Amino acid sequence: MASPRRAIDDRGAVEQLLHGEPHPGNALSMKNGPLFIDLETYCRGPVEFGLAHVPEAVRAHYPGIGQWLLDGCPQLVIAMVAAWRWELGDQYRVEGGFTALW
């Protein structure tokens, strides 16, 4: 089985700079549009990885996204969050079984 990175590369997904965790709690509403804050998770990858964090209504503004890739990205997001939570001394507050960040 190919690694997720290899599967993305083999399908020709274009990489770009991504916030890494673009949920509403990480954006300020400004006069000229949203301003993303909390950049400790920024990364490079396909836009579909960033869209895996947002509601479907937001995804509708991105015609031509690779649905095959978008379908696989939520699992990568869950793996990323699980790795963060694995850290000894994790202090994220938990509400209803999910971190308060979600």
Side-chain angles (χ1 to χ4, degrees):
M1 179 175 172
S3 71
R5 171 66 189 225
R6 183 66 181 244
I8 291 169
D9 288 346
D10 288 349
R11 296 219 181 175
V14 177
E15 288 192 358
Q16 64 185 46
L17 187 61
L18 300 171
H19 180 274
E21 197 181 12
H23 60 76
N26 280 340
L28 301 175
S29 181
M30 306 298 284
K31 184 170 69 171
N32 294 328
L35 173 66
F36 284 100
I37 58 173
D38 188 19
L39 301 173
E40 69 183 35
T41 58
Y42 78 93
C43 57
R44 291 190 56 81
V47 70
E48 290 86 352
F49 181 76
L51 293 175
H53 290 81
V54 300
E56 286 190 38
V58 174
R59 296 175 192 164
H61 295 281
Y62 290 83
I65 60 172
Q67 191 62 46
W68 59 270
L69 185 54
L70 184 60
D71 290 345
C73 284
Q75 290 86 0
L76 293 175
V77 171
I78 290 168
M80 180 179 69
V81 172
W84 292 341
R85 297 301 308 267
W86 190 260
E87 181 181 342
L88 291 175
D90 172 29
Q91 296 295 310
Y92 286 131
R93 190 174 78 241
V94 175
E95 297 175 4
F98 295 96
T99 66
L101 298 175
W102 292 74

